[in-house]
Amino acid sequence: MQRLDGKSLDLTQENINALKQLFPEIVTEGKIDFDKIKLILGEEIETRKGKYEFTWHGKTQAIKLAQTPSTGTLRPDKESSKNWDTTENLYIEGDNLEVLKLLQKSYFGKIKMIYIDPPYNTGKDFVYKDDFRDNIKNYKELTHQTTKANTESNGRYHTDWLNMMYPRLKLARNLLTEDGVIFISIDDNEVANLKKILDEVFGEENFVGTINWKGKGGGADNKYLMVAHEYIILYSKNKSNFIIGEEIKEEENYNKYDEFKGKRYKTQLARKWGANSRREDRPNLFYGVKAPDDSIVYPTLPDGKDGCWRWSKDRMKKKIEEGNIEFIKDDNGQWILYEKIYEPDEGEFNTKKYSTWFDNLGNTAMGTKEIKEIFDGKVFDFPKPSLLIKTLIKISGSKDTEIILDFFSGSATTAHAVMQLNAEDGGNRKFIMVQLPEQTPEDSEAYKAVYKNICEIGIERIRRAGEKIKQGTGKEDLDIGFKVFKLDSSNLKAWDPDFENLEQNLFDLQENIKKDRTKEDLLYEILLKIGIPLTTQIEEIDFNGRTIYNVAYGSVLLCLEDNIDQEIVNEMIKLKPEGFDTKFIFKESGFISDSVKTNAIQTLKKNGITDVRSV
């Protein structure tokens, strides 16, 4: 019976395994021979000392931090959740570095889009403080203290920010689908550094573009210029697989009908207008065109001077022959030429590329108004408007059932945007929100309104916004629920002996599950560690007062009881669907005796069940 090790995905080992798969000859006595790698890759290896690279103090540690497995877990909080049994959305409270590690097995390559709005490092905002030795312990201490800003007087002002962002972006990339994308909001403080680490983590070739968002009205926060914009940087996991969404043009008025072609159309001037529209600007575009009454028409500007056409003589002739030019007399009896623009056929998309300049997608004032209307008061500073995030989801190409992740979720604008877009286009996108429970200041409106940390604000916003969207659209089948999970240390006791109390320590380990943990706590830790998504269908089967968990319609069968006997093992075998390679998992200390455990393993083998594990 295989023991679960209680760790998240070991990325270092995964990378080693991938190298072995590609180049089996590089393995010597179980170790990687880097000299052989250099030999195989030849000229692709950089050996010069003066090579280009982006580095800072602590970068090596940051890389190691991303690759160190987490021994933590996510504990279910049904009381804070909504529609627990049916929803496919997640809200996770915890340090996003540890949470990203814990999501690696279950969500590797499954996230279509990531949007994050991390700390901008302005000297006033919160910066996550990681601890290489024990980040779970560090997280627990951090969330019970007043958070501190990363002030410019700190000698490692940029360094600390880079060390915070780098491992999170490394882990985030793993979660993206092959056509997935990441959007990151940032301002001038760290935009240059962010671009450099994204080039390294995602590859320069996967840079899609930088969007400039007019998110501010422009204020006196800069003594030289009124800063009126922020940036949203977009990278894809693999640009060759990414199909960017396009903007659907506003509905246009095709108010005329072409009986010959059987299509509606609208018109616009065949003469140039605006800049370079005079005859002297484009003399080659000044020529006569024969009108229906055989008179010759020339392009004339409103002031009576000679103008020019929009096309060459040959192209004008072709448009007339194809019936794409309309001749209309004005009030003075003069012929005016118009181009016919036909309505797209059914099924054709009247689209255009999104611009890199967003000046009509709301601003922080709109975001503040939006959250005020939800809470009847200001409980969060400078939230992004849901319209902005909704547009980014469209740009990502997400259309139906994909997962959208935000691991700096703040007031949960991203969750709001996902629900709103689903209501508008009939999609069934899911969201995963991750947020550190940063405490709200005691003198803030949020604190006075009983929201003691940001997670409480985010959860309540999703609850209220979902109901508002449902009522506004009348869509009863809309998923406005969410399962809440909270980061914690493992449910399993670690082997960390106290030599002064060794006898008691050994006695305690006879029962390796912590006393304050429930069967459901343990269940979800197991699912995370074996790579099952947290919203997977779980059926609880009561067998003589004991619970059997049937996960994903028989993919995994678990019994975490304290009195496991042969009877319950036989019942689990009956539940196994034919043709399924079902995993059987038991609480090891739960068997009523060693002989029952031994007989259980033999019975399972006789029934062709070989994937048997214990915790």
Side-chain angles (χ1 to χ4, degrees), residues 95 138-147 436-439:
D95 174 3
N138 177 59
Y139 157 70
K140 287 190 168 187
E141 291 174 354
L142 191 65
T143 51
H144 287 87
Q145 296 176 4
T146 304
T147 55
L436 189 82
E438 182 186 348
Q439 296 172 7

Side-chain angles (χ1 to χ4, degrees), residues 382-396:
F382 310 117
K384 296 293 188 288
S386 59
L387 175 63
L388 173 67
I389 312 303
K390 194 170 66 173
T391 303
L392 299 182
I393 297 171
K394 291 178 182 178
I395 293 174
S396 77

Side-chain angles (χ1 to χ4, degrees), residues 375-438:
F375 285 93
D376 299 320
K378 184 183 176 184
V379 296
F380 196 86
D381 293 327
F382 310 117
K384 296 293 188 288
S386 59
L387 175 63
L388 173 67
I389 312 303
K390 194 170 66 173
T391 303
L392 299 182
I393 297 171
K394 291 178 182 178
I395 293 174
S396 77
S398 172
K399 289 183 172 63
D400 189 22
T401 60
E402 295 93 350
I403 303 172
I404 313 297
L405 167 66
D406 184 343
F407 55 88
F408 285 95
S409 74
S411 67
T413 303
T414 301
H416 187 164
V418 169
M419 293 187 295
Q420 184 66 54
L421 187 56
N422 283 344
E424 291 174 9
D425 68 6
N428 189 28
R429 302 168 189 85
K430 293 96 172 151
F431 63 74
I432 301 176
M433 301 292 104
V434 184
Q435 177 59 43
L436 189 82
E438 182 186 348

Side-chain angles (χ1 to χ4, degrees), residues 540-577:
E540 291 186 26
I541 299 164
D542 184 286
F543 179 72
N544 296 336
R546 292 167 291 176
T547 302
I548 298 170
Y549 294 105
N550 182 344
V551 179
Y553 307 102
S555 297
V556 185
L557 291 165
L558 305 95
C559 184
L560 306 173
E561 297 287 353
D562 289 323
N563 51 350
I564 301 172
D565 57 20
Q566 190 63 45
E567 239 186 349
I568 203 164
V569 174
N570 292 339
E571 184 65 21
M572 290 172 72
I573 292 169
K574 291 177 189 176
L575 293 169
K576 177 186 177 298

Side-chain angles (χ1 to χ4, degrees), residues 100 109 149 198 221 263 282 387 438 494 576:
L100 287 170
L198 286 167
D221 50 346
K263 297 180 75 173
R282 301 294 300 274
L387 175 63
E438 182 186 348
K576 177 186 177 298

